[in-house]
Amino acid sequence: MSRSPQKNRGEPRPGSGTANPPDPPVGVVAAPPSDPPRASDRAAVSGMGRSGGERVTASDPPPVSVRPAVREPSPDPAADVERVFTTWREVMGRGRARLDDKRRRLIRRALALGYGVEDLELAVRGCAATPHNMGVNDQGTRYDDLGLILRDGDHIDRFMRNARHPPRPATAADSRLAANVAAAREAMEMDDREPGAA
């Protein structure tokens, strides 16, 4: 029995210096490499689109970031500082509070980090939406000072998040659990301090 000769895959033809292109898989028609991608091809690889379920194609511009990387300088920085302070004073019920140099520096520093006035106002409202900071804690103490809210980027981000998704207030069961955990820690520390403890 004689075997039929197999096709050369990627080997040069006898007498020519060029290699044969590999054969496409059965049932697949290879398109010439110079063909531009079709619109249906672009849509197939682009996935679902923005809000509303519209499709995004490769020719669409990339989505714009919500917060620009670099903010334009404010035409009136003093008014921005005053606006943030006024929002804090009204939201927290601090009618007698005054905008001193320390508070002015705090607000300016937060604005210099790249947060906008609206971001800082949102952070103030987020603190007001956080039960622990508003006195729902074991000490019954409010932690709503402007210095705490604008302490650093982590605090500002956390309070902005709390404004959008307020944390639930602690239930009586949560308070009992916290008290039990604290009592257990204290008991373990006392055992460690006693002489002859294992």
Side-chain angles (χ1 to χ4, degrees):
M1 260 178 89
S2 65
R3 293 185 180 174
S4 61
Q6 294 184 351
K7 291 184 180 178
N8 294 332
R9 294 182 181 266
E11 298 172 3
R13 288 187 184 130
S16 74
T18 60
N20 293 337
D23 291 337
V26 177
V28 176
V29 178
S34 60
D35 285 352
R38 297 185 305 260
S40 60
D41 295 339
R42 288 196 307 266
V45 298
S46 63
M48 289 303 290
R50 304 178 187 99
S51 62
E54 64 179 314
R55 296 188 73 81
V56 180
T57 64
S59 60
D60 287 345
V64 179
S65 172
V66 176
R67 184 188 301 172
V70 178
R71 290 189 173 276
E72 293 292 324
S74 171
D76 192 354
D80 292 346
V81 170
E82 183 75 37
R83 184 174 147 192
V84 172
F85 176 75
T86 301
T87 299
W88 172 77
R89 188 171 60 186
E90 290 172 358
V91 168
M92 298 304 175
R94 301 283 191 94
R96 298 183 59 110
R98 296 291 173 256
L99 181 57
D100 59 8
D101 289 339
K102 180 181 177 184
R103 289 172 174 154
R104 193 173 273 113
R105 280 194 304 271
L106 279 168
I107 298 169
R108 275 199 219 118
R109 189 183 69 197
L111 291 168
L113 289 173
Y115 294 98
V117 173
E118 297 82 8
D119 296 330
L120 301 185
E121 290 178 316
L122 189 64
V124 168
R125 291 188 181 92
C127 180
T130 307
H132 178 82
N133 289 78
M134 299 310 293
V136 184
N137 55 54
D138 292 341
Q139 294 78 26
T141 304
R142 285 176 61 143
Y143 301 102
D144 61 353
D145 188 66
L146 194 58
L148 172 71
I149 300 169
L150 305 182
R151 178 179 293 171
D152 52 30
D154 287 340
H155 281 74
I156 296 169
D157 291 342
R158 178 166 63 94
F159 287 125
M160 286 173 63
R161 217 171 25 249
N162 288 358
R164 295 185 184 103
H165 309 286
R168 66 179 179 84
T171 64
D174 293 334
S175 298
R176 284 194 302 272
L177 176 63
N180 290 340
V181 169
R185 281 191 187 136
E186 187 177 337
M188 289 189 324
E189 288 172 5
M190 287 178 63
D191 285 348
D192 289 343
R193 278 178 268 166
E194 288 179 7

